[in-house]
Structures are given as C-alpha cells and as structure tokens.
Amino acid sequence: MAIEDPEVLQTICAQYVSPFNARIIGGCKTLIAQTFVKSRSGFERDGSFSTDREDGWQYYDCGMAAQTLCLAAHDLGLGTVVMGVFDRKGLEQYLQLPEEQELMALIAIGHPAEEPTAPKRKDVDVLLSYR
C-alpha cells in the first residue's frame, strides 16, 4: 500500500510510530505499508505447512520483497528506510487492512538529503564458512 496523503502520514507519525521513525516518515513523500496475506506463503492447499518453518515463511518472502523494492528505488536515485517498530495492530485498523492481511513493515521512500558513507561491515571470512 503506497501512502502519499500528507494527513495520513502525519497521523501515522503522531499515533503509530516512535519519534525516531516519525522523523523519517515525516520527511518522505511516499510510505509503503508492506503487507502479506495470512496463511498463504509456506502453506499447502490443504492448510498444512510446507516446511518446518511453519507459519514463518511469509517473513522470508517479505524480506526479499522489501530488499528488491529498496534496490530498485536506489537504482532510480531514491533512498529508503525499512522500519519494523510500530503499533502494528493499531496501524492495521487505521489503514483498514482486510482481515486476511497483516502489516509486515513500513518503507519510507524519498530523495535522500545526503549520501552517507557505508558503515564498516564484517569481513567475508567472518560470515562465510565452507564445508
């Protein structure tokens, strides 16, 4: 769900997110409310789980979708911030999400005010193992 209405963005900032996230959302033109359909990803047609991850598979799918969105935005010269700390249930009601959907993340999109340098990352040999 793409949210561009300034009044809706202001309400989200005032009532549903932390002050830090409100500062980010308040500075963007578009906020994406990423949702998923409950009991769809990671489930078989009979309702059983596809893997031993049970109902957690949708989080994996949402993570991949969020990363793809952010990378595509970057290619267009836009900046993004993925946020996961918010009043999920309250915001789901405010946005009038259908009962079968759940809010996963908020993604602010806009023109970045600066090009920060990348933080130091762990070396590959710390993160990758071979067998």
Side-chain angles (χ1 to χ4, degrees), residues 45-64:
R45 292 195 186 277
D46 66 3
S48 64
F49 298 119
S50 299
T51 73
D52 67 351
R53 305 260 182 213
E54 298 183 348
D55 64 349
W57 199 256
Q58 65 266 358
Y59 305 125
Y60 179 79
D61 287 346
C62 285
M64 288 189 302

Side-chain angles (χ1 to χ4, degrees), residues 6 9 12 20 26 34 47 49 51 55 61 68-70 80 82 85 90 92 96 99 101 109 112-113 120-121 125 128:
L9 292 171
I12 291 170
F20 180 79
Q34 182 189 37
F49 298 119
T51 73
D55 64 349
D61 287 346
T68 301
L69 175 76
C70 293
T80 57
V82 179
V85 179
E92 286 174 345
Q96 299 176 348
E99 181 70 26
Q101 290 186 26
I109 300 176
K120 178 155 175 42
R121 304 289 186 195
D125 62 338
L128 180 64

Side-chain angles (χ1 to χ4, degrees), residues 70-81:
C70 293
L71 290 171
H74 184 267
D75 279 350
L76 296 171
L78 299 170
T80 57
V81 178

Side-chain angles (χ1 to χ4, degrees), residues 109-125:
I109 300 176
H111 294 281
E114 60 183 78
E115 287 266 347
T117 57
K120 178 155 175 42
R121 304 289 186 195
K122 292 180 181 178
D123 292 329
V124 172
D125 62 338

Side-chain angles (χ1 to χ4, degrees), residues 90-101:
L91 196 47
E92 286 174 345
Q93 282 187 327
Y94 175 69
L95 296 174
Q96 299 176 348
L97 287 186
E99 181 70 26
E100 69 274 3
Q101 290 186 26

